Amino acid sequence: MIKAILIFNNHGKPRLIRFYQYFAEDMQQQIIRETFHLVSKRDDNVCNFLEGGSLIGGSDYKLIYRHYATLYFVFCVDSSESELGILDLIQVFVETLDKCFENVCELDLIFHMDKVHYILQEVVMGGMVLETNMNEIVAQVELQNRMEKSEASDQ
Amino acid sequence: MALKIVKGSIDRMFDKNLQDLVRGIRNHKEDEAKYISTCIDEIKQELKQDNIAVKANAVCKLTYLQMLGYDVSWAAFNIVEVMSSSKFTYKRIGYLAASQCFHEGTDVIMLTTNQIRKDLSSPNQYDTGVALTGLSCFVTPDLARDLANDIMTLMSHTKPYIRKKAVLIMYKVFLKYPESLRPAFPRLKEKLEDPDPGVQSAAVNVICELARRNPKNYLSLAPLFFKLMTSSTNNWVLIKIIKLFGALTPLEPRLGKKLIEPLTNLIHSTSAMSLLYECVNTVIAVLISLSSGMPNHSASIQLCVQKLRILIEDSDQNLKYLGLLAMSKILKTHPKSVQSHKDLILQCLDDKDESIRLRALDLLYGMVSKKNLMEIVKKLMLHVDKAEGTTYRDELLTKIIDICSQSNFQYITNFEWYISILVELTRLEGTRHGHLIASQMLDVAIRVKAIRGFAVAQMATLLDNAHLLTGNTQRNGICEVLYAAAWICGEFSEHLEDPMQTLEAMLRPKVATLPGHIQAVYVQNAAKLFATVLRKHDGETESQAAQETSQLLIDRLPLFVQSANLEVQERASCILQLVKYIQKLQQKNVEVAEEVTALFAGELNPVAPKAQKKVPIPEGLDLDAWINEPPSGSESEDEKPKAVFAKEEPKHSRSRHTEVDEKELARRREVRKQEQASNPFYIKASPSSQKVYDAPGVEHIPVVQIDLSVPLKVPGMPMSDQYLKLEEERRQKEKAERKKKEKKKKREKRGKERKADSGPESEEDITPAHQVDIVTEEMPENALPSDDDDKDPNDPHKALDIDLDKYVPHCRHLQFIHVLHIVMCRNEFFSKTEIYDFRRIQKKMLCSIETRLNQLSWFPVQKSSKHKKKKQKKEKEEKEKKKKKRHHHHHQHHGDAGGEDSVQNGTVEEEEPLPVSQSHSVSLKREVKVYDIQGNHQDESKVVVSVIFENKSDSFLKAMEFNVLDSLNSKLQRPEGAGAHDSLTVPFQLPPGVSNEARFVFSVQSIVMPQKLKGTLTFIVKSDESSTHEKLDFKLHFTCTSYLITTPCYSDAYAKLLESGDLKGSSLRLEGINMPFHHLLARICFHHHFSVVERIDSCASMYSRSIQGHHVCLLVKTSDQTVSIDAKCDEPSLLGNVLDEIKQTFSKC
């Protein structure tokens, strides 16, 4: 199971947060801060797994992250997920964003948090991996956007 | 109206949207909080407007603010409003907001049930998808209970997009509402073979999650997963399945054996690292489960280790990390194969990546042996010196201690070396683990008797140089070590060379700056040392030394008497008085040494940490009973009988007596303060540590100042390296001696004296330097063996530990899967003429997984299986005796049914209640909807029965035909043109061990009475040699409950319905119901398809509707253990039957 997905930038500013277990808002912020603290002090050429974010879960949980330019994508997962699999999934997610936003950059995430959420919803649902095929994800996202557009033009 | 719309859209033009909000926040970097608070005010205004577009925009902005840490739960109701918009655009915004901020404590969630149900059944798949996604994040037990059926229907939706979402969300539903697992499971299992790979992957995902927590319940799926593993090409699915097998193999070693080959093939063939890695992991799990008593799989181990070595040597840090991680799993069972890669692992200790260093450290733990322990620890000590950053250094420290102390100091051959390692570790500045070192020191000194002399000498040096440890920082964790040092010196003071000097060191004024609990130990052990000194000088008349010691104590102890710490104070003043008294006796030349020593006589033995827990409670002792009668009084206002009160709320009643109210406490405190103020003997609080120095008798003690310029070099401390060298020399010498002896032995040919006969380098040959006697920890006599302290009682997954194969009579009434579970058995141990009760057969078939696996040809049958079968037969016979009476009944019954006794070979029949849980449920609901439009009422009386056929035999079953003897009231729907008695062909064949589901539609005329239909299933059993035609009889039980559909009802409509007076009443009383009220309601809802209209305390109104439109209303009340149900319905006989069925449900629990 995936317990949380966090996206924040090099300064620790959250760009998207998605918890699959309830935490109060202040706790969520604390988790973001702690995770940022753990992740940001690591070099880019060290491994992408981290044990012991004490706030989320216990020893069974791992932080798996990728660093792209100005953004960190962090998944907090338990031992039922394959480490390398989740790394691939992050890659799929980012590539999907790239396709949907056409050369995605941090600004896209800043101004379209809702859209990023909708894309993520097609990849992960309730903490479980829903779809890993990028074409399928993009197709579903686009169909929904088209629906939204047709509703807007009806008005 | 038109104007209003125009006005609304003009307003909207001036509203901020999400992008404006983000831009605004970015432009107000200085006063962000202020800006956001004005934005929130605006949002509040927007939420007050009627325009749903404005509201949705506001909610969207709130979702953003929630991410920034603002609590937006105050807008929960508005979020629900936006969720229920008919437009997808707004609905999606609403659900997103809900999924970000709703949780179990959100009270408006109750309002969403019907909206979500509506969205789930929406014709637009994206409405359904959005609802499912949202629900997956905020599903509560209530929602799960109410919506389980709807989601279950969606699992068979025509669109794969919906199916996969519905399958995934079922896991969340199971977690919140475990009762749904059993009925939903067959369909979930069916989805494993869904044509859509996404749905299949989702089903695998869910079952893997379920199986991870309670693997034994899913062993029976192993053949299916095995098939998937060998056929699937989707790496995601493969990884999940392989991971699942890793969890299953420990339970079934034969599965492991079967797995090794395909997994090895995958390892060789795959190019995906993730898959390779999981394969290696599972092979390791298999090897671990096989490790006992199996022929060696050294080839597989070698393969794994070899692949892992490649991973570890890879330049990709991720692979390196995972390689080490997997290596540590092999280590547990096959340490030898890992130890050969010691070089590689030690190399990883130098890696720049901390995660990798920590993994390597973990591995070292398992790699030590008597031979290499000292060498490895030496290497680690070097790293300790080099390590920057306290966390990693602390980790190293704990690892060193773990490595050395593992399995009762198994690998330590020289305890002098270990003590000196511990002493060296005390030099670490700023470590948090002082207490860990201290406890090791204590442990070793207490349990290894031979080392005490050495340990005491070391500790004495440590105490003498205490100033080096304490340093300047007060909160230095390392001073904990002094606790151990003082205690060891005191307790084993007979080993001290110069107790007087140590005593002096322990009473230095600087000690007063140590934490209280350490001072207390100092004081107490000073007394022990005092006793030792006295005994040393025993017999010397007018001993100067003894008297000097008393004087020293009398001079120094007052410092501690003034301590702020009560423990120190108390001990110091006791001992001070004691010493004063002794001094008087000494002056009179009385021999005191013996009596003082007697104070500390006897040895303290180590006690195991769990010893206290293991003391069995003596018979006749009731720990919960009152020792004195609880004071009565003030309870008279409670109307409830006393027994109930005491039973239900013991905590409350007990705490009441101890609680004194706040005012009273404050008053007492005030009185006490005044008392203290006027009492000249009361010492007022907080003597600061500085003040301590002014104490009388301190100034004239010469305090030696030691130069602190080289703090790390503790004078006189032994270096552990020294011991390493010594030990090596010792071993060399021993070896040489042994060789000599061996030669001698050879010459003399007398081999009896020596036991060890292996090569000179083997483990056993390294003898400890001392005659080490490791004292084991004490346990109480007749300690209880139970040891399950580790299980977490709050684990939500515990509730999902449901044996899915077991037949449970309750689920007969389950709503959705109307399953008729037909098990076909054809095993030689069922003799031809015997007739068995269905349940007995099933029980036997499922009695244990092991037996069943014997019966399935899928697993290689072990030789012992014959034996088992015999045993089974025996059991069977015993059961038979018990059931003789019932058998009789069966036979009679049979006669009525047409003399089926005479049917040929191997026929298994069942009579009596079948595990039929049927209803028309969900799938019917959709039909109802369709026909509503067409106005066709006839078809509302259709019932769908899903039947699961499971082949439990080891033969292939085909040409199955299903037939039911129609009654006047209920008829099986047959294809047009078919005769009224024709059978329906089941559209599939069943290989051994496989199950599949088929659905049959029945038309029902009257639904007011429950009824049973007799049916027959005929099939051809095909085995290698022959094929035979066989048949199986069963009964379908249509309960009245199964004609009810869960239909929501609002309280106003409900009230109107009751007022209308069309309904006739009836009532039911249930006694001795011992379950919480909400469980009771859940049970009625679940088993009898009701929904709760309103609930107030211990009273609830419920509603349901029959497929023919009868209203059924219940008013459920509970008090004590009695439940009364007042019911109303427009069809009295239907009502009577439903009530009977409810009664039956509760009589079973």
Side-chain angles (χ1 to χ4, degrees):
Chain A
M1 288 277 279
I2 300 169
K3 209 159 187 183
I5 295 172
L6 309 174
I7 304 177
F8 43 73
N9 71 359
N10 288 347
H11 305 291
K13 284 238 180 225
R15 294 302 174 214
L16 176 133
I17 55 173
R18 174 72 276 194
F19 287 90
Y20 294 104
Q21 182 194 340
Y22 173 68
F23 290 102
E25 274 76 13
D26 46 351
M27 191 63 184
Q28 291 185 353
Q29 295 299 316
Q30 202 182 329
I31 291 171
I32 297 170
R33 274 195 300 275
E34 194 193 271
T35 314
F36 171 69
H37 182 72
L38 282 173
V39 168
S40 61
K41 66 179 182 195
R42 293 171 64 83
D43 286 340
D44 271 349
N45 54 0
V46 299
C47 75
N48 298 10
F49 313 119
L50 256 176
E51 280 153 89
S54 55
L55 288 173
I56 299 190
S59 57
D60 196 35
Y61 284 86
K62 269 201 191 82
L63 296 176
I64 299 177
Y65 72 97
R66 271 185 188 272
H67 189 194
Y68 294 92
T70 59
L71 290 173
Y72 285 98
F73 288 71
V74 186
F75 281 46
C76 175
V77 304
D78 70 9
S79 61
S80 73
E81 300 295 340
S82 146
E83 291 89 345
L84 293 172
I86 293 291
L87 275 181
D88 286 348
L89 185 72
I90 301 179
Q91 184 67 30
V92 167
F93 178 45
V94 173
E95 280 177 30
T96 312
L97 288 178
D98 200 51
K99 241 183 181 172
C100 294
F101 285 106
E102 289 163 11
N103 282 328
V104 70
C105 69
E106 193 186 340
L107 280 176
D108 293 317
L109 273 75
I110 294 174
F111 286 106
H112 303 283
M113 183 203 72
D114 48 345
K115 302 222 164 45
V116 182
H117 265 296
Y118 299 143
I119 295 168
L120 181 62
Q121 282 176 358
E122 298 301 323
V123 184
V124 179
M125 185 176 129
M128 282 176 291
V129 180
L130 178 69
E131 185 57 70
T132 53
N133 180 348
M134 188 166 60
N135 294 332
E136 170 74 14
I137 301 167
V138 173
Q140 297 297 350
V141 170
E142 274 172 4
L143 277 170
Q144 292 179 57
N145 289 344
R146 214 170 294 159
M147 255 185 77
E148 202 173 276
K149 266 183 204 144
S150 75
E151 281 186 353
S153 60
D154 283 351
Q155 224 173 24
Chain B
M1 185 66 193
L3 190 71
K4 206 176 168 189
I5 291 171
V6 171
K7 194 172 166 278
S9 54
I10 289 175
D11 278 348
R12 271 185 62 204
M13 279 168 62
F14 297 107
D15 285 340
K16 278 197 198 90
N17 63 15
L18 176 62
Q19 281 76 33
D20 299 328
L21 174 76
V22 175
R23 209 166 289 128
I25 293 174
R26 284 161 71 83
N27 291 336
H28 291 77
K29 286 230 165 74
E30 281 78 44
D31 52 347
E32 194 183 288
K34 202 178 142 206
Y35 178 76
I36 289 177
S37 79
T38 57
C39 288
I40 289 180
D41 287 342
E42 281 169 24
I43 289 170
K44 282 184 180 161
Q45 288 306 316
E46 287 165 20
L47 288 175
K48 278 182 194 150
Q49 294 186 34
D50 286 338
N51 190 331
I52 191 72
V54 177
K55 263 188 199 167
N57 185 40
V59 164
C60 184
K61 288 190 278 183
L62 282 178
T63 313
Y64 184 81
L65 294 178
Q66 195 272 344
M67 177 178 78
L68 299 184
Y70 290 84
D71 177 24
V72 298
S73 54
W74 50 269
F77 185 76
N78 302 105
I79 292 173
V80 175
E81 281 180 308
V82 175
M83 275 162 72
S84 43
S85 156
S86 58
K87 280 214 168 119
F88 171 73
T89 317
Y90 304 143
K91 192 183 284 297
R92 182 152 82 153
I93 292 172
Y95 273 105
L96 175 62
S99 68
Q100 289 292 84
C101 67
F102 282 11
H103 54 93
E104 276 189 28
T106 311
D107 31 357
V108 293
I109 279 196
M110 295 186 313
L111 305 175
T112 60
T113 318
N114 288 324
Q115 178 58 41
I116 295 174
R117 180 173 285 140
K118 213 176 108 195
D119 289 336
L120 289 181
S121 56
S122 160
N124 178 347
Q125 63 162 328
Y126 292 111
D127 282 351
T128 313
V130 154
L132 283 172
T133 307
L135 188 62
S136 73
C137 294
F138 57 78
V139 59
T140 62
D142 285 343
L143 283 177
R145 182 197 66 212
D146 295 340
L147 297 172
N149 286 335
D150 305 70
I151 298 170
M152 188 86 106
T153 330
L154 293 179
M155 283 169 76
S156 318
H157 199 273
T158 49
K159 297 259 171 46
Y161 178 74
I162 298 302
R163 283 211 299 276
K164 71 182 176 192
K165 287 197 169 194
V167 168
L168 269 194
I169 202 180
M170 278 319 284
Y171 179 64
K172 295 279 174 153
V173 173
F174 296 151
L175 277 184
K176 299 289 176 189
Y177 185 48
E179 269 196 66
S180 59
L181 175 58
R182 189 184 297 280
F185 192 70
R187 194 167 296 183
L188 184 61
K189 198 169 138 190
E190 188 185 293
K191 294 296 149 208
L192 284 176
E193 293 177 293
D194 195 279
D196 183 85
V199 181
Q200 201 183 38
S201 156
V204 170
N205 219 333
V206 170
I207 291 186
C208 287
E209 283 296 334
L210 289 170
R212 205 163 73 91
R213 307 295 178 161
N214 308 295
K216 65 173 191 317
N217 300 337
Y218 301 88
L219 257 184
S220 59
L221 292 181
L224 189 55
F225 276 117
F226 192 83
K227 205 175 93 193
L228 279 178
M229 184 178 80
T230 42
S231 61
S232 176
T233 51
N234 179 342
N235 279 354
W236 268 96
V237 171
L238 280 175
I239 287 175
K240 282 279 170 193
I241 293 176
I242 287 167
K243 264 186 170 282
L244 173 68
F245 276 134
L248 292 182
T249 42
L251 302 169
E252 180 48 78
R254 274 169 293 168
L255 175 62
K257 264 195 273 174
K258 187 107 181 161
L259 280 172
I260 287 254
E261 200 200 320
L263 285 180
T264 324
N265 290 344
L266 265 178
I267 289 177
H268 282 301
S269 64
T270 184
S271 59
M273 273 299 179
S274 46
L275 185 56
L276 172 93
Y277 174 69
E278 295 305 338
C279 286
V280 169
N281 252 333
T282 297
V283 171
I284 294 169
V286 169
L287 293 176
I288 290 171
S289 70
L290 291 181
S291 62
S292 49
M294 286 300 300
N296 62 15
H297 283 273
S298 55
S300 310
I301 296 167
Q302 276 315 310
L303 178 69
C304 289
V305 174
Q306 186 193 331
K307 286 280 173 189
L308 290 179
R309 185 167 178 120
I310 295 171
L311 290 186
I312 295 173
E313 280 171 341
D314 200 288
S315 59
D316 184 344
Q317 296 282 325
N318 291 331
L319 298 183
K320 196 181 279 251
Y321 172 88
L322 293 175
L324 290 169
L325 193 66
M327 204 66 124
S328 64
K329 286 178 196 155
I330 303 189
L331 189 67
K332 280 173 205 138
T333 47
H334 302 87
K336 287 252 164 64
S337 20
V338 181
Q339 266 160 13
S340 55
H341 300 282
K342 202 177 81 190
D343 55 319
L344 190 64
I345 287 150
L346 283 175
Q347 211 177 310
C348 290
L349 275 186
D350 296 322
D351 201 284
K352 59 188 179 304
D353 188 345
E354 196 176 295
S355 306
I356 287 178
R357 288 200 304 255
L358 290 176
R359 282 278 138 242
L361 269 182
D362 268 359
L363 271 172
L364 279 183
Y365 175 83
M367 286 175 57
V368 292
S369 62
K370 277 183 184 167
K371 209 167 55 181
N372 61 17
L373 174 74
M374 289 169 106
E375 183 197 339
I376 288 181
V377 170
K378 186 184 165 190
K379 191 136 190 186
L380 292 179
M381 291 298 281
L382 282 178
H383 279 278
V384 171
D385 285 343
K386 276 196 292 184
E388 72 272 8
T390 45
T391 30
Y392 180 57
R393 211 175 48 183
D394 279 356
E395 189 61 33
L396 273 170
L397 189 153
T398 44
K399 268 284 132 50
I400 290 177
I401 288 179
D402 280 355
I403 287 175
C404 292
S405 62
Q406 65 177 309
S407 36
N408 222 353
F409 306 110
Q410 190 191 346
Y411 300 115
I412 295 185
T413 49
N414 186 335
F415 277 94
E416 286 183 10
W417 164 82
Y418 186 44
I419 295 270
S420 38
I421 285 284
L422 289 175
V423 171
E424 271 177 51
L425 286 175
T426 62
R427 290 183 297 162
L428 283 184
E429 268 178 64
T431 177
R432 288 180 293 115
H433 293 300
H435 61 96
L436 195 63
I437 304 176
S439 69
Q440 283 295 303
M441 286 173 167
L442 287 171
D443 208 18
V444 174
I446 294 168
R447 292 169 61 190
V448 187
K449 282 185 181 150
I451 202 68
R452 282 179 191 165
F454 179 80
V456 165
Q458 291 296 310
M459 295 303 125
T461 328
L462 213 55
L463 285 178
D464 214 24
N465 297 298
H467 55 278
L468 294 179
L469 297 179
T470 49
N472 349 338
T473 41
Q474 276 292 310
R475 288 183 296 125
N476 199 334
I478 203 68
C479 59
E480 288 291 326
V481 172
L482 295 175
Y483 176 100
W487 191 86
I488 292 170
C489 286
E491 187 63 29
F492 307 119
S493 51
E494 68 269 20
H495 297 290
L496 270 180
E497 263 174 40
D498 189 356
M500 185 62 190
Q501 193 197 337
T502 311
L503 183 60
E504 198 274 330
M506 279 167 68
L507 293 170
R508 282 181 200 151
K510 209 158 187 245
V511 170
T513 60
L514 291 171
H517 66 284
I518 299 179
Q519 285 186 54
V521 172
Y522 265 64
V523 171
Q524 184 72 14
N525 285 285
K528 292 182 195 166
L529 283 175
F530 176 58
T532 317
V533 175
L534 286 188
R535 227 201 18 211
K536 232 181 183 174
H537 301 287
D538 196 15
E540 303 170 22
T541 45
E542 282 183 49
S543 158
Q544 197 61 35
Q547 291 201 14
E548 266 172 26
T549 320
S550 316
Q551 192 55 48
L552 178 74
L553 280 166
I554 291 169
D555 288 344
R556 305 271 181 102
L557 280 176
L559 174 71
F560 298 101
V561 175
Q562 292 174 351
S563 168
N565 186 300
L566 277 182
E567 181 80 19
V568 181
Q569 205 186 82
E570 190 180 2
R571 286 180 194 242
S573 48
C574 275
I575 289 165
L576 183 60
Q577 290 312 312
L578 182 74
V579 176
K580 277 183 183 163
Y581 179 66
I582 290 167
Q583 195 184 35
K584 266 187 214 157
L585 291 177
Q586 279 175 330
Q587 279 157 0
K588 288 180 198 162
N589 269 336
V590 183
E591 291 283 326
V592 286
E594 202 169 314
E595 279 168 57
V596 178
T597 323
L599 286 176
F600 305 108
E603 193 160 333
L604 298 177
N605 285 330
V607 176
K610 283 177 188 164
Q612 179 64 46
K613 238 199 250 173
K614 304 255 167 172
V615 179
I617 297 175
E619 240 174 272
L621 175 64
D622 179 6
L623 289 176
D624 293 326
W626 288 94
I627 295 175
N628 299 312
E629 274 305 303
S632 59
S634 76
E635 279 175 14
S636 50
E637 74 264 25
D638 274 313
E639 292 161 8
K640 284 181 182 170
K642 220 173 175 180
V644 173
F645 182 75
K647 197 180 166 193
E648 286 181 355
E649 303 176 282
K651 268 187 190 161
H652 178 64
S653 60
R654 209 173 288 169
S655 63
R656 181 183 293 185
H657 305 299
T658 50
E659 261 173 26
V660 187
D661 82 346
E662 280 296 316
K663 269 188 196 162
E664 173 68 11
L665 270 180
R667 195 185 60 80
R668 284 191 199 167
R669 225 176 275 139
E670 200 48 44
V671 170
R672 198 162 50 228
K673 257 189 202 159
Q674 276 169 8
E675 237 171 47
Q676 286 167 4
S678 56
N679 185 350
F681 300 109
Y682 190 81
I683 304 166
K684 274 130 211 143
S686 77
S688 72
S689 48
Q690 257 82 27
K691 229 174 158 185
V692 165
Y693 291 99
D694 305 337
V698 174
E699 310 95 296
H700 56 88
I701 297 167
V703 178
V704 187
Q705 286 296 325
I706 295 171
D707 188 10
L708 292 181
S709 57
V710 270
L712 280 186
K713 207 68 181 163
V714 180
M717 276 197 180
M719 291 292 288
S720 58
D721 290 358
Q722 220 172 294
Y723 284 95
L724 185 59
K725 235 178 237 166
L726 280 176
E727 177 72 11
E728 267 161 19
E729 278 166 24
R730 188 179 68 84
R731 284 186 194 171
Q732 285 289 334
K733 219 165 105 191
E734 247 173 42
K735 217 155 82 182
E737 259 171 40
R738 203 178 302 144
K739 265 186 190 159
K740 237 192 249 165
K741 257 190 186 170
E742 238 152 271
K743 272 183 194 164
K744 220 174 169 183
K745 196 176 75 182
K746 268 184 193 164
R747 225 180 290 143
E748 296 179 9
K749 296 208 172 176
R750 272 173 56 202
K752 272 188 184 175
E753 279 176 3
R754 283 185 42 82
K755 279 177 192 167
D757 52 359
S758 49
E761 281 297 309
S762 81
E763 277 281 291
E764 297 81 46
D765 282 359
I766 302 169
T767 51
H770 307 275
Q771 202 44 50
V772 181
D773 166 31
I774 299 174
V775 185
T776 47
E777 291 155 327
E778 269 184 4
M779 279 294 240
E781 282 170 45
N782 56 19
L784 301 168
S786 69
D787 215 354
D788 45 355
D789 322 296
D790 311 328
K791 281 185 185 164
D792 178 11
N794 295 325
D795 186 4
H797 305 284
K798 240 178 140 179
L800 286 181
D801 189 2
I802 295 169
D803 186 351
L804 293 159
D805 294 331
K806 215 184 247 164
Y807 160 60
V808 175
H810 279 320
C811 66
R812 178 166 353 148
H813 300 287
L814 289 186
Q815 187 177 1
F816 17 88
I817 299 276
H818 14 244
V819 181
L820 166 63
H821 214 104
I822 297 183
V823 181
M824 284 160 245
C825 316
R826 211 180 138 273
N827 272 297
E828 54 273 47
F829 57 88
F830 290 118
S831 74
K832 288 178 187 175
T833 51
E834 275 172 337
I835 298 161
Y836 291 98
D837 177 276
F838 173 78
R839 275 173 301 175
R840 274 178 52 222
I841 292 162
Q842 193 165 33
K843 225 185 260 165
K844 200 182 305 297
M845 296 309 293
L846 308 178
C847 59
S848 77
I849 287 154
E850 209 181 335
T851 1
R852 194 177 52 219
L853 290 179
N854 274 329
Q855 292 155 5
L856 293 178
S857 56
W858 191 77
F859 289 100
V861 177
Q862 281 192 341
K863 277 183 183 166
S864 63
S865 63
K866 241 183 191 170
H867 187 71
K868 272 182 196 146
K869 276 179 190 165
K870 263 185 200 162
K871 209 170 141 195
Q872 275 180 353
K873 205 162 187 177
K874 223 177 187 177
E875 277 170 23
K876 198 180 70 192
E877 275 162 13
E878 272 167 32
K879 271 188 194 162
E880 219 169 305
K881 272 178 204 162
K882 278 184 203 160
K883 295 216 170 174
K884 231 177 181 173
K885 259 191 182 170
R886 275 182 79 178
H887 252 286
H888 193 62
H889 170 75
H890 282 311
H891 279 290
Q892 273 197 334
H893 212 107
H894 263 283
D896 299 341
E900 282 128 327
D901 306 48
S902 56
V903 200
Q904 354 89 336
N905 45 353
T907 310
V908 173
E909 299 166 358
E910 30 77 23
E911 287 277 270
E912 279 303 273
L914 264 175
V916 182
S917 42
Q918 93 276 69
S919 89
H920 28 273
S921 81
V922 196
S923 38
L924 179 80
K925 236 188 259 165
R926 227 183 294 139
E927 281 171 44
V928 171
K929 209 167 188 180
V930 174
Y931 290 125
D932 264 350
I933 304 164
Q934 296 177 348
N936 187 341
H937 290 277
Q938 171 96 57
D939 283 284
E940 275 190 344
S941 40
K942 260 190 187 171
V943 176
V944 177
V945 176
S946 290
V947 182
I948 290 195
F949 298 93
E950 185 171 3
N951 184 357
K952 292 277 185 190
S953 74
D954 45 14
S955 320
F956 200 89
L957 302 184
K958 59 179 208 176
M960 288 187 282
E961 294 196 335
F962 180 93
N963 200 1
V964 171
L965 208 59
D966 291 346
S967 69
L968 279 176
N969 191 28
S970 315
K971 290 188 173 68
L972 177 62
Q973 296 259 302
R974 296 177 170 88
E976 271 179 61
H981 303 291
D982 286 357
S983 305
L984 288 185
T985 310
V986 180
F988 46 77
Q989 302 182 335
L990 282 181
V994 170
S995 64
N996 208 340
E997 180 182 339
R999 291 177 204 179
F1000 302 98
V1001 181
F1002 287 80
S1003 59
V1004 182
Q1005 293 282 320
S1006 156
I1007 60 162
V1008 301
M1009 297 284 280
Q1011 52 179 318
K1012 288 178 183 167
L1013 292 185
K1014 280 199 174 70
T1016 320
L1017 184 81
T1018 57
F1019 51 92
I1020 293 173
V1021 181
K1022 206 177 165 216
S1023 57
D1024 292 338
E1025 310 90 50
S1026 62
S1027 58
T1028 47
H1029 207 89
E1030 292 182 8
K1031 76 174 210 176
L1032 186 71
D1033 288 334
F1034 58 86
K1035 249 182 197 176
L1036 283 174
H1037 190 96
F1038 289 82
T1039 58
C1040 281
T1041 289
S1042 55
Y1043 303 124
L1044 296 183
I1045 314 168
T1046 316
T1047 322
C1049 183
Y1050 293 105
S1051 49
D1052 43 349
Y1054 188 77
K1056 256 182 212 160
L1057 191 65
L1058 288 180
E1059 278 166 16
S1060 68
D1062 300 338
L1063 308 182
K1064 291 165 193 76
S1066 175
S1067 64
L1068 174 69
R1069 264 177 90 79
L1070 302 165
E1071 304 278 350
I1073 300 293
N1074 208 355
M1075 64 171 84
F1077 190 55
H1078 64 276
H1079 281 187
L1080 179 109
L1081 292 184
R1083 202 169 270 251
I1084 297 178
C1085 286
F1086 191 71
H1087 293 301
H1088 298 284
H1089 315 170
F1090 278 86
S1091 62
V1092 177
V1093 179
E1094 211 169 4
R1095 182 186 158 187
I1096 300 158
D1097 299 332
S1098 57
C1099 179
S1101 49
M1102 308 178 88
Y1103 177 78
S1104 185
R1105 221 173 77 115
S1106 80
I1107 51 169
Q1108 295 180 351
H1110 304 289
H1111 303 284
V1112 188
C1113 305
L1114 299 184
L1115 182 67
V1116 185
K1117 281 187 238 167
T1118 180
S1119 68
D1120 295 340
Q1121 297 194 348
T1122 312
V1123 177
S1124 68
I1125 301 177
D1126 292 312
K1128 285 193 168 180
C1129 177
D1130 35 14
E1131 179 54 67
S1133 53
L1134 174 68
L1135 183 63
N1137 287 319
V1138 169
L1139 287 182
D1140 280 349
E1141 281 159 21
I1142 292 178
K1143 195 172 176 180
Q1144 223 177 346
T1145 309
F1146 285 98
S1147 67
K1148 274 175 201 142
C1149 55

